[in-house]
């Protein structure tokens, strides 16, 4: 699942949680994420899910789309990425079924050393 936090001047305006394959972003009210600001194009950007990975693509917007302060045409979104659209920022977080973010999910569990050694000896 994808969690998107819409911020303006350091304040969170709203949060979206979605598993949709495509999320449109722009000023037009028909967008999934509408940003009512003249610096945002009507159809500014789109987020697409391919397998379990999300990509963001600028749709030829007037002011561009930036990920972590770099202008992009298309970009693979990673957990924690910040996207700038006009004067707003969108923070992206992957949430797994257990309700934790991708960073927690990617951590390796540390096993009890004594038990691990016993298992390794037993299986050799």
């Amino acid at each position: 699942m994808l969690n998107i936090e819409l911020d303006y001047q350091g304040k969170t305006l709203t949060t979206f949680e979605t598993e949709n394959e495509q999320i449109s972003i722009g000023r037009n009210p028909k967008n999934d994420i509408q940003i009512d600001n003249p610096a945002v194009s009507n159809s500014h950007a789109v987020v697409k899910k391919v397998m379990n990975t999300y990509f963001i693509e600028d749709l030829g917007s007037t002011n561009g789309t930036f990920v972590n302060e770099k202008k992009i045409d298309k970009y693979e979104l990673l957990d924690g990425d910040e996207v700038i659209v006009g004067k707003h920022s969108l923070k992206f977080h992957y949430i797994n079924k257990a309700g934790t973010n991708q960073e927690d999910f990617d951590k390796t569990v540390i096993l009890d050393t004594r038990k691990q050694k016993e298992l390794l000896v037993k299986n050799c």
Side-chain angles (χ1 to χ4, degrees):
M1 180 180 300
L2 189 63
N3 176 285
I4 306 168
E5 182 181 296
L6 176 63
D7 293 349
Y8 180 72
Q9 296 183 340
K11 295 183 181 178
T12 301
L13 301 177
T14 190
T15 302
F16 304 89
E17 283 192 5
T18 184
E19 290 186 8
N20 291 352
E21 300 291 319
Q22 185 166 308
I23 303 133
S24 60
I25 302 167
R27 193 173 67 240
N28 189 307
K30 292 181 181 179
N31 286 292
D32 298 310
I33 299 176
Q34 184 204 11
I35 303 174
D36 188 17
N37 186 287
V40 177
S41 296
N42 279 323
S43 295
H44 197 99
V46 64
V47 175
K48 294 181 182 178
K49 183 178 181 182
V50 178
M51 305 283 283
N52 288 324
T53 303
Y54 287 92
F55 293 86
I56 187 163
E57 183 176 351
D58 183 83
L59 297 175
S61 66
T62 302
N63 292 309
T65 300
F66 297 81
V67 178
N68 303 324
E69 299 184 1
K70 293 181 184 171
K71 188 174 183 186
I72 59 96
D73 291 319
K74 187 174 185 179
Y75 178 86
E76 178 183 343
L77 288 167
L78 304 174
D79 186 68
D81 278 340
E82 181 177 20
V83 175
I84 304 295
V85 175
K87 296 180 178 184
H88 290 72
S89 69
L90 298 153
K91 294 178 186 165
F92 289 81
H93 297 283
Y94 290 100
I95 306 294
N96 66 24
K97 300 275 186 207
T100 57
N101 67 23
Q102 188 67 32
E103 184 178 295
D104 292 337
F105 184 71
D106 288 341
K107 289 181 181 176
T108 301
V109 175
I110 298 171
L111 298 174
D112 177 272
T113 308
R114 184 179 48 84
K115 285 185 179 182
Q116 182 67 15
K117 284 181 181 178
E118 288 173 8
L119 287 171
L120 287 170
V121 169
K122 196 183 273 187
N123 289 300
C124 289

